[in-house]
Amino acid sequence: MTEQQAINLFNHLLNRAEEKMIPLWTHLDLTYRCNLSCIHCYCQGISGQLWENRGELSFQEIKQLLDDLAGSGALYLTLSGGEVFLRRDFFEIAFYAKKKNFCLSVFTNGTLIDENKARRLADLSPLAVEMSIYGVTPEVHDSITNLVGSFEKLLKAVGIFKKYGLRVVLKTVFMKPNFHQVHQIERFAYDIGTDDFRSNIEISPKNDGSKLPLEYQLDTEEMASILSKTDESEVEYQDNPLRKPLCATGSLGCYISPYGDVYPCIQLLIPMGNIREKSFQEIWHAPSELRSQLSLLKTYADLLSCKSCQYVRYCKKCLGLSYLETKDMRACYPALRDISRITSGEY
């Protein structure tokens, strides 16, 4: 089989999964509790409406959820938080997920890692352990996490994970507090042993809609100094950019909160139901106004704001971020327009 044939087969399988609404990718936050207090975090310091008088899912509830996800065809499972290692039953959950044959990824801040945890993580054979790095010095990283010593603990965690053969992914959000180090962070991440590095320049509002984190969003000039013009040969659907598909949120993946709330994705926070009230399958396949809306949003041509936009061919729209910023998943928002304009080469 050639590489192109493999790509075509994979895309065919994705299309079939989308048609059948199989949630291949599931992101499960086990807790919103965290020993860090990152200045831009979407789930730290959120208002009580999202957690007040609501306990986190128990191990038994999570076991039932994992059974239901496996029965729905879910394949990739991300365990995240908050800080997952604040759940004393984390390894019970993770090993049960392994037993159900999920391809696991684990998100952690790395500050609670020791030899024993790394050894047990290695026994899970996860696809990756992902951590965030916000600078190349303790002063910058720790000022963002609000925990003195978090930088050194992160470096130690990377070393321990590599010792046990784990695949480490480091990622960052470029924002005003670390802007002066943006051209150093990726090189530093590879120097200390990461297997992959990812970056983002969009700050997300909090899960409760608060826009306080947006004060750290880079301005247009700062973003332009990081981004480069898109190579025209890499632009898909050049002749008709309105045919570009939107993300398959709500059909190929979902997000589940520590309290059992099911959402189409981690940023499109329109609740579909709660697993304490109905099974995941009942929630996932139930007809609803949200389902009807998402079924009408397949390509950029389905978005009125995109039809007259000169930057649509460069746009990488996230319906969830649109919703968080504007309460309308169809709408555009300032950072998205700026990024599209910069990558078009106009700025």
Side-chain angles (χ1 to χ4, degrees), residues 2-40:
T2 66
E3 180 180 353
Q4 188 56 53
Q5 287 174 324
I7 292 173
N8 292 340
L9 177 59
F10 181 71
N11 288 335
H12 173 71
L13 292 174
L14 285 183
N15 290 335
R16 290 296 303 275
E18 184 175 359
E19 290 171 7
K20 295 179 177 295
M21 288 177 52
I22 297 174
L24 292 179
W25 288 276
T26 299
H27 184 120
L28 171 60
D29 275 347
L30 298 178
T31 181
Y32 283 154
R33 292 175 290 128
C34 190
N35 58 325
L36 303 183
S37 184
C38 297
I39 58 176
H40 63 294

Side-chain angles (χ1 to χ4, degrees), residues 34-55:
C34 190
N35 58 325
L36 303 183
S37 184
C38 297
I39 58 176
H40 63 294
C41 183
Y42 63 81
C43 64
Q44 283 295 95
I46 56 178
S47 64
Q49 63 177 312
L50 288 178
W51 57 266
E52 201 166 47
N53 299 320
R54 306 174 77 198

Side-chain angles (χ1 to χ4, degrees), residues 69-316:
L69 287 170
S72 297
L75 178 60
Y76 297 96
L77 177 66
T78 296
L79 298 179
S80 183
E83 171 48 49
V84 292
F85 287 107
L86 289 179
R87 289 269 320 213
R88 295 186 178 183
D89 56 359
F90 168 75
F91 281 110
E92 292 178 84
I93 294 167
F95 277 102
Y96 190 78
K98 179 178 175 64
K99 179 181 176 182
K100 303 300 293 186
N101 296 316
F102 288 105
C103 296
L104 281 178
S105 294
V106 177
F107 291 4
T108 175
N109 61 39
T111 62
L112 303 177
I113 297 303
D114 56 26
E115 295 271 344
N116 182 55
K117 289 188 178 72
R119 188 182 302 110
R120 297 186 73 187
L121 276 173
D123 290 339
L124 287 165
S125 301
L127 292 176
V129 179
E130 301 192 18
M131 298 180 287
S132 293
I133 183 169
Y134 298 116
V136 301
T137 59
E139 291 75 20
V140 174
H141 181 89
D142 294 357
S143 70
I144 292 173
T145 65
N146 277 311
L147 180 68
V148 174
S150 60
F151 181 74
E152 295 302 327
K153 289 178 180 179
L154 172 66
L155 300 190
K156 180 181 177 183
V158 172
I160 297 176
F161 286 150
K162 297 306 297 179
K163 174 181 175 181
Y164 286 94
L166 288 155
R167 183 172 182 271
V168 174
V169 175
L170 291 180
K171 51 197 178 182
T172 196
V173 180
F174 293 140
M175 49 187 151
K176 289 188 177 296
N178 65 6
F179 174 68
H180 62 293
Q181 293 187 345
V182 295
H183 298 297
Q184 301 169 259
I185 296 176
E186 180 173 3
R187 182 172 64 251
F188 180 81
Y190 282 110
D191 285 346
I192 63 174
T194 190
D195 295 286
D196 194 11
F197 175 80
R198 300 170 191 162
S199 63
N200 186 26
I201 62 172
E202 290 188 76
I203 303 289
S204 171
K206 290 183 182 293
N207 277 5
D208 62 2
S210 168
K211 295 184 179 181
L212 286 176
L214 297 183
E215 67 180 273
Y216 303 109
Q217 178 77 60
L218 299 177
D219 60 37
T220 308
E221 185 175 343
E222 290 167 333
M223 287 192 287
S225 72
I226 299 172
L227 300 172
S228 58
K229 182 182 183 300
T230 299
D231 185 336
E232 290 294 324
S233 66
E234 297 179 359
V235 176
E236 296 185 279
Y237 302 93
Q238 292 190 48
D239 296 333
N240 189 354
L242 290 176
R243 288 181 55 244
K244 282 196 306 181
L246 293 164
C247 63
T249 182
S251 55
L252 281 178
C254 66
Y255 166 62
I256 303 172
S257 81
Y259 315 111
D261 303 302
V262 179
Y263 300 96
C265 80
I266 195 169
Q267 291 177 311
L268 187 55
L269 296 176
I270 302 175
M272 304 174 73
N274 189 284
I275 65 161
R276 284 170 164 160
E277 298 167 1
K278 295 181 179 179
S279 72
F280 175 81
Q281 286 98 332
E282 289 179 290
I283 294 169
W284 189 244
H285 293 286
S288 65
E289 182 180 348
L290 175 59
R291 278 270 173 238
S292 298
Q293 291 181 42
L294 291 174
S295 70
L296 298 175
L297 299 177
K298 297 301 182 182
T299 69
Y300 281 74
D302 298 322
L303 298 167
L304 183 62
S305 62
C306 296
K307 290 184 177 181
S308 59
C309 179
Q310 66 195 94
Y311 309 119
V312 65
R313 65 192 299 188
Y314 307 99
C315 183
K316 296 181 180 178

